Amino acid sequence: EAGVTQFPSHSVIEKGQTVTLRCDPISGHDNLYWYRRVMGKEIKFLLHFVKESKQDESGMPNNRFLAERTGGTYSTLKVQPAELEDSGVYFCASSQSIVNYGYTFGSGTRLTVV
Amino acid sequence: QKEVEQNSGPLSVPEGAIASLNCTYSDRGSQSFFWYRQYSGKSPELIMSIYSNGDKEDGRFTAQLNKASQYVSLLIRDSQPSDSATYLCAVFSGGYQKVTFGIGTKLQVIP
């Protein structure tokens, strides 16, 4: 079984530019989550998809962040325009059943905004 | 009050000793509890899950849950240098349908 795949693994962009992160969940996992870890802080929830629907986007910092999951397969997270405080590691996770199995995480995208 | 509290450490233990990692949570309605291990520069990896009060053992790992005290712990017996990592406590609350993470405890096993 292929794991959760994220790319790019690293991205360095200038303030004001746009970046799009991609996540391919484990096949058959309806639940897809985006999290972010800023250095020295907890891994923070951003949003949750069930198939193609946004179940909960309460963790999205502001309207510069846009997530999509067309067709209920892969997901993208776009940051436009990027700000310095957006730097961090963005993790995607998928799950068949959170209650019973927890998450499987992708390797993360380290975003640096300069 | 943070939703999931952990001491960030570092917690240093000698090789072969028992490492004890602790976590408290605020939501009494929490249903499932997880421990993830994260090596530096890597993604979190699920190592234990526990759902009911008591102990759950898996190899050298034992998870303990006390819902009345809102307390979860992870014991690692016969600690090895390869156990050196950050251990994240994570709590699933059905009402929110998401997992909340603690800051993680950095464990250092000294050879």
Side-chain angles (χ1 to χ4, degrees), chain A residues 37-43, chain B residues 2 8 103:
Chain A
R37 185 161 195 164
V38 173
M39 189 175 293
K41 303 288 187 182
E42 297 90 341
I43 296 176
Chain B
K2 291 185 177 180
S8 59
I103 196 166

Side-chain angles (χ1 to χ4, degrees), chain A residues 4-71:
Chain A
V4 178
T5 305
Q6 288 188 250
F7 53 93
S9 57
H10 293 83
S11 181
V12 181
I13 62 171
E14 292 184 351
K15 176 182 173 181
Q17 288 186 321
T18 298
V19 63
T20 301
L21 315 180
R22 173 167 168 152
C23 169
D24 287 71
I26 292 173
S27 178
H29 282 193
D30 290 339
N31 294 286
L32 186 149
Y33 296 81
W34 284 97
Y35 279 79
R36 176 174 72 175
R37 185 161 195 164
V38 173
M39 189 175 293
K41 303 288 187 182
E42 297 90 341
I43 296 176
K44 287 289 192 183
F45 169 82
L46 295 178
L47 87 159
H48 171 206
F49 283 101
V50 177
K51 296 184 180 179
E52 67 275 9
S53 299
K54 291 178 186 175
Q55 183 79 10
D56 179 357
E57 52 184 334
S58 62
M60 296 286 262
N62 49 60
N63 59 11
R64 295 185 294 102
F65 289 75
L66 175 63
E68 296 179 325
R69 191 183 183 194
T70 307

Side-chain angles (χ1 to χ4, degrees), chain B residues 41-61:
Chain B
K42 303 294 185 182
S43 59
E45 171 195 13
L46 180 65
I47 56 170
M48 288 289 287
S49 56
I50 187 167
Y51 312 105
S52 54
N53 282 329
D55 295 0
K56 179 181 178 183
E57 187 174 317
D58 183 1
R60 295 186 296 111
F61 298 98

Side-chain angles (χ1 to χ4, degrees), chain B residues 2-48:
Chain B
K2 291 185 177 180
E3 294 178 63
V4 180
E5 297 235 31
Q6 292 182 261
N7 188 319
S8 59
L11 171 66
S12 294
V13 300
E15 183 174 357
I18 296 176
S20 178
L21 305 162
N22 305 313
C23 169
T24 58
Y25 60 95
S26 60
D27 183 0
R28 285 195 171 273
S30 298
Q31 299 175 262
S32 306
F33 306 85
F34 307 97
W35 284 97
Y36 285 82
R37 177 177 62 199
Q38 186 176 23
Y39 292 111
S40 181
K42 303 294 185 182
S43 59
E45 171 195 13
L46 180 65
I47 56 170
M48 288 289 287

Side-chain angles (χ1 to χ4, degrees), chain A residues 68-87:
Chain A
E68 296 179 325
R69 191 183 183 194
T70 307
T73 54
Y74 71 91
S75 175
T76 58
L77 179 64
K78 179 189 288 188
V79 185
Q80 178 184 30
E83 299 289 344
L84 299 178
E85 63 265 25
D86 300 333
S87 297

Side-chain angles (χ1 to χ4, degrees), chain B residues 83-98:
Chain B
D83 295 327
S84 298
T86 296
Y87 289 80
L88 301 163
C89 174
V91 175
F92 172 71
S93 296
Y96 298 105
Q97 288 292 305
K98 65 188 179 191

